[in-house]
Amino acid sequence: MLNFSGLIAEVKRRATRDQSGTTFNTATNNIINTSLFRVGREAPWRVLRRSTYFTTETSYTTGTGAVAVTNNSASFTVTGATFITDNIQVGRRVKFGTDSGYYIIRTITGETTGTIDRLYNGTTSTTTSYQILPTEQYNLPIQVNPTRDFLWHNCYGYPMQLDYIPDQDFRSYNINDNTVAKPTAYRMWGQDMVITQLVTPSVITVVSSSASDTSKSITVFGIVSGYPDYEVIVTNGTTPVAGSKTFSSIERVVKAATTVGRITASGNSGADVVAVIPVGLTTLGIFYPKVQLYPLPDGIYPINVNYYKDPFSLVNDDDCH
């Protein structure tokens, strides 16, 4: 088995006819890692098999129950709630009092306040109750190959594999997606570099785990004032550096140079960790496949994941694939 430096030498020998120098180093490194990544995804290598789990989140009703809602308004207030602290995500569904409708949370504007996806059509009240339904979407763990995995749990007292349903089929079946019970199926729609979206609009702060990472340009892409935008934030080692633009959501975070430490990008004073870029290679990021459970979990359950992992990139000369 060749180590990374041996692979580099062999690729350069074949591709450049033994030309000396470092002109082709970056291209050679990228070709090798891209090839290994592709082979790792296509070949059923047992050495890449892994098992892990994530934990579900059930209904949220924190507060005194004194909920203020107004007919024909999209805003709501919950006395005693802690939406930002508890990382209540935009996109979760909420029900107010005895109103038969379910609403989608569009924004979290403070610890106790938010807005819904349409105007509230129930009765105006300052003392109604509320329930935010269980979390539907979860990140699969780092390096899960989303094309070769399966999910299962022991919620019924025995191992049960969850059925996979393509998202388009799920929607075409007109399934009631407000159902709360033990999960029996899952969907997968999307993969991105974001661990969690901003709970409420915020500037982004970047920091490295190494004091050596100074003057490294980190580019944040996302939505600012309703439009696609970006900002470059320059690191100062382990000292957090805040940007100046207020993002409502994040698309991706990349770096312009190799770093010694991990780069963490966060919002809302560190409450929302939106991305972590690993050490080493330029612009390399972690991708998180998104999984949606059905029904919405009625309890806190470990969901087991068996999968083939995506291989690590080779960085150092003595690394072996």
Side-chain angles (χ1 to χ4, degrees):
M1 179 184 293
L2 294 175
N3 62 13
F4 194 25
S5 63
L7 284 171
I8 291 171
E10 182 62 14
V11 170
K12 291 178 70 174
R13 184 186 69 79
R14 297 187 186 192
T16 68
R17 297 185 179 181
D18 296 316
Q19 292 186 47
S20 60
T22 60
T23 303
F24 300 102
N25 280 7
T26 299
T28 301
N29 294 1
N30 290 341
I31 288 171
I32 290 171
N33 279 309
T34 300
S35 300
L36 289 175
F37 184 84
R38 179 176 177 180
V39 171
R41 282 207 159 191
E42 294 180 355
W45 289 352
R46 291 188 177 184
V47 72
L48 296 179
R49 290 179 179 177
R50 297 291 186 275
S51 298
T52 187
Y53 71 95
F54 62 89
T55 304
T56 61
E57 299 175 357
T58 191
S59 298
Y60 183 89
T61 56
T62 296
T64 64
V67 181
V69 285
T70 304
N71 179 261
N72 213 32
S73 171
S75 300
F76 67 94
T77 301
V78 180
T79 302
T82 50
F83 294 147
I84 296 176
T85 300
D86 294 332
N87 196 34
I88 298 302
Q89 290 291 298
V90 168
R92 289 182 69 168
R93 292 183 282 281
V94 60
K95 187 177 188 298
F96 298 106
T98 58
D99 185 72
S100 59
Y102 290 89
Y103 300 87
I104 297 174
I105 298 175
R106 284 297 186 222
T107 63
I108 297 294
T109 54
E111 286 282 19
T112 62
T113 57
T115 65
I116 50 180
D117 61 325
R118 63 187 190 276
L119 300 180
Y120 178 63
N121 60 9
T123 303
T124 297
S125 174
T126 58
T127 59
T128 192
S129 60
Y130 85 108
Q131 179 188 35
I132 295 177
L133 296 189
T135 300
E136 177 185 42
Q137 178 168 281
Y138 300 86
N139 289 322
L140 288 182
I142 294 171
Q143 290 189 289
V144 168
N145 182 335
T147 63
R148 293 189 299 164
D149 68 317
F150 66 90
L151 277 59
W152 61 280
H153 61 61
N154 276 298
C155 302
Y156 289 102
Y158 56 86
M160 174 181 173
Q161 182 174 338
L162 276 65
D163 293 328
Y164 169 69
I165 304 176
D167 203 76
Q168 186 170 355
D169 289 346
F170 181 83
R171 297 302 177 191
S172 68
Y173 296 157
N174 297 319
I175 295 174
N176 180 6
D177 57 5
N178 297 319
T179 301
V180 178
K182 293 178 175 59
T184 58
Y186 72 99
R187 316 178 330 263
M188 298 185 71
W189 188 262
Q191 176 176 274
D192 56 39
M193 297 175 66
V194 178
I195 298 173
T196 184
Q197 281 292 347
L198 297 165
V199 174
T200 189
S202 171
V203 298
I204 300 300
T205 298
V206 299
V207 64
S208 175
S209 61
S210 172
S212 301
D213 291 325
T214 58
S215 302
K216 304 291 186 180
S217 294
I218 310 300
T219 306
V220 180
F221 297 86
I223 302 298
V224 176
S225 300
Y227 292 92
D229 206 337
Y230 71 93
E231 181 176 22
V232 178
I233 305 173
V234 179
T235 62
N236 186 23
T238 55
T239 301
V241 179
S244 59
K245 295 184 179 181
T246 298
F247 288 85
S248 57
S249 65
I250 303 299
E251 178 68 23
R252 61 191 178 105
V253 181
V254 297
K255 59 186 180 182
T258 297
T259 58
V260 177
R262 295 183 306 278
I263 303 296
T264 299
S266 60
N268 290 309
S269 301
D272 303 331
V273 177
V274 297
V276 177
I277 311 177
V279 302
L281 294 179
T282 302
T283 73
L284 186 64
I286 294 293
F287 283 90
Y288 297 88
K290 310 296 182 180
V291 61
Q292 296 82 32
L293 299 181
Y294 175 82
L296 301 175
D298 62 358
I300 300 174
Y301 305 121
I303 304 297
N304 302 291
V305 185
N306 287 47
Y307 66 98
Y308 284 86
K309 73 183 281 290
D310 287 331
F312 285 113
S313 294
L314 302 181
V315 179
N316 302 305
D317 285 348
D318 292 329
D319 290 346
C320 290
H321 60 83

